[in-house]
Amino acid sequence: MVRWLFLIAALSVAPPAIAQLRAFAVVGDAIPQSLTGQAGDAARGRAVVTDRQKGLCLLCHTGPFPEQRFQGNLAPDLRGAGSRWDEGQLRLRLVDSSKVNPSTIMPAYYRLDRLTRVGGAWQGKPVLSAEEVEDVVAFLLTLKDTP
Amino acid sequence: MMPSVAFTSMLSCAVAVSTVIAAAQTRDPRRSGFEDMSRESQAMQRDDTANPGMFAVLEGEELWRAKVGSRKTSCADCHQNAEVSMRGAAARYPSFSTAWNGPVDLQGQINLCRETRQNAPPFPLEGPELLALSAYVGKQSRGMSIAPPDDARLEPFRRQGEALYNMRQGQLNFSCANCHEDHAGQRLAGSLIPQGHPTGYPLYRLEWQGIGSLQRRLRGCLIGVRAEPYAYGAEEYIALELFLMSRARGMAVETPAIRP
């Protein structure tokens, strides 16, 4: 079984912005440990997912959000995400989906490098904070019913 | 009796299906955003008395005749009747300007004319006058096929545009192609993703409640993916337009189009 350890801890060579990200370890296709060391809050995670300025998820994904009009259909239905993936797998797919699928269009929600021409207001900031990533992971884990 | 009726209808059905398939195989897969608009928006575009883009065209017609600059010359003084002289012009832009020694879009050409022929200051980019004049000139090509010039000097810029089109950028890390090539026809939230053919600029966008250029539209996408938008008039926009116009070669000019 192929397992590898990937640590983002090169703080001495990284630009200052990178230092804002917390270190995490990728094991297989997952990040098993919470980015914050704490479990996320599913209710807050739901709010992030449905927020079109923050999580942006529903621009591309559809999901079990009856109150939300205009959900996208570019990406898989979020229903059943918590059955398809475990916690660590969901975390890696949020942090940096390109680690699983190099050609994915899903933005890396917790990555600052390998980006081009990032707009001034967004420079040096991940799309979501470590806390928000954990909240979304906690919420997605509750989506057990497949469409 | 019944079996023969059933057989005949099956046969005609099969013929109809194969005709549809044959048509689908030969049909140009490119679609103007016009085809995916609501009937109301399509009707608005088709009817000059309802199309709000026509206000800009009418304003542009006045500007065409206005004598400006230290030489007190109008566009019409050199180009006479725009309905004749400008017919097909917009379908060939961006083109290579020897004066500028580089590619210019229609708006850039209008401003070059102002500076070099009329001795007048250039219009501010994306300002109402430049949009109006380019809408008026653009309308003279309405219904004509987009026909990018076969000019080798444009080729490096067209290729630069193609590279930009495929370059992922911004915090959300999308290229133009990620949406407009790979997911055209699908929905980004409630909006249908168009193929991104610049057939009707400058156009009246309902979301803007106003008329705007292709550069304004490209800027909107760049801001959407959280990239740093290029400044108006930047060579990157011209390069992108060159690529997009080559991609839309043969499609009909719709200026002034309506879009949601």
Side-chain angles (χ1 to χ4, degrees):
Chain A
M1 183 180 168
V2 182
R3 301 181 104 212
W4 71 92
L5 204 66
F6 180 77
L7 268 172
I8 297 187
L11 300 182
S12 56
V13 290
I18 304 270
Q20 289 176 7
L21 294 187
R22 299 172 196 229
F24 57 85
V26 177
V27 181
D29 74 334
I31 300 173
Q33 303 296 319
S34 163
L35 298 178
T36 61
Q38 318 254 314
D41 178 296
R44 283 203 305 260
R46 190 187 195 280
V48 171
V49 167
T50 54
D51 184 331
R52 282 152 205 262
Q53 268 75 52
K54 192 173 270 293
L56 314 154
C57 308
L58 301 188
L59 298 187
C60 294
H61 294 275
T62 311
F65 311 100
E67 81 286 7
Q68 294 287 331
R69 298 180 69 200
F70 305 130
Q71 302 178 27
N73 65 0
L74 308 192
D77 196 314
L78 293 177
R79 281 176 288 186
S83 311
R84 289 194 290 276
W85 316 111
D86 67 22
E87 180 194 322
Q89 289 174 316
L90 284 169
R91 189 175 288 111
L92 178 59
R93 279 155 181 76
L94 281 169
V95 164
D96 186 357
S97 199
S98 74
K99 289 267 194 292
V100 186
N101 172 10
S103 62
T104 185
I105 58 166
M106 176 154 161
Y109 279 84
Y110 198 69
R111 188 183 87 197
L112 295 173
D113 62 333
R114 289 177 290 129
L115 296 174
T116 309
R117 306 194 66 260
V118 175
W122 311 103
Q123 278 173 22
K125 296 174 190 153
V127 183
L128 294 180
S129 69
E131 289 75 12
E132 287 162 342
V133 169
E134 291 308 320
D135 291 343
V136 173
V137 168
F139 170 67
L140 293 177
L141 275 173
T142 69
L143 301 181
K144 300 292 190 194
D145 294 339
T146 49
Chain B
M1 189 68 187
M2 279 303 285
S4 104
V5 169
F7 178 74
T8 312
S9 62
M10 266 173 65
L11 187 69
S12 59
C13 210
V15 169
V17 166
S18 59
T19 310
V20 167
I21 290 168
Q25 281 166 345
T26 53
R27 203 191 298 143
D28 189 337
R30 295 176 303 174
R31 292 172 77 79
S32 160
F34 176 87
E35 295 177 58
D36 297 313
M37 294 200 300
S38 68
R39 280 175 186 282
E40 292 76 14
S41 299
Q42 290 184 345
M44 192 192 283
Q45 178 173 322
R46 282 203 188 98
D47 178 359
D48 281 352
T49 62
N51 182 338
M54 288 304 291
F55 286 114
V57 170
L58 293 174
E59 195 190 325
E61 189 174 2
E62 280 180 29
L63 289 168
W64 182 263
R65 287 193 288 256
K67 294 191 181 291
V68 296
S70 61
R71 293 179 196 140
K72 294 276 174 243
T73 45
S74 68
C75 307
D77 286 340
C78 290
H79 297 287
Q80 284 90 39
N81 182 355
E83 287 175 21
V84 178
S85 62
M86 291 296 116
R87 190 167 157 71
R92 296 189 294 267
Y93 273 81
S95 67
F96 195 89
S97 159
T98 346
W100 176 250
N101 197 28
V104 286
D105 61 357
L106 183 59
Q107 303 194 38
Q109 182 57 56
I110 290 170
N111 268 342
L112 271 176
C113 261
R114 281 180 66 81
E115 290 182 275
T116 60
R117 309 285 180 200
Q118 294 171 298
N119 227 9
F123 287 127
L125 299 178
E126 213 56 30
E129 300 94 343
L130 192 51
L131 288 168
L133 250 182
S134 50
Y136 177 62
V137 173
K139 193 209 155 225
Q140 311 310 324
S141 298
R142 192 163 65 174
M144 298 180 70
S145 292
I146 289 173
D150 189 14
D151 185 338
R153 293 171 299 178
L154 291 171
E155 188 53 18
F157 300 99
R158 194 201 62 80
R159 277 206 298 268
Q160 181 198 357
E162 183 169 12
L164 287 169
Y165 182 81
N166 288 298
M167 181 181 91
R168 296 180 72 146
Q169 55 179 315
Q171 189 198 40
L172 301 181
N173 204 26
F174 279 87
S175 69
C176 311
N178 282 156
C179 285
H180 299 284
E181 211 68 38
D182 302 339
H183 291 282
Q186 289 177 283
R187 290 196 177 270
L188 183 72
S191 309
L192 193 94
I193 300 176
Q195 293 181 356
H197 298 296
T199 48
Y201 288 94
L203 56 75
Y204 187 93
R205 201 161 176 230
L206 300 173
E207 186 186 309
W208 295 333
Q209 293 287 298
I211 197 158
S213 71
L214 173 63
Q215 294 193 12
R216 181 172 177 193
R217 185 64 195 84
L218 293 171
R219 194 181 160 85
C221 268
L222 288 166
I223 291 168
V225 301
R226 300 183 176 176
E228 191 64 40
Y230 308 105
Y232 280 127
E235 61 170 48
E236 286 87 351
Y237 287 132
I238 313 291
L240 272 166
E241 185 175 355
L242 271 167
F243 171 65
L244 292 175
M245 290 294 265
S246 74
R247 191 168 158 267
R249 180 188 294 272
M251 295 177 79
V253 174
E254 298 171 49
T255 307
I258 301 288
R259 288 295 181 271

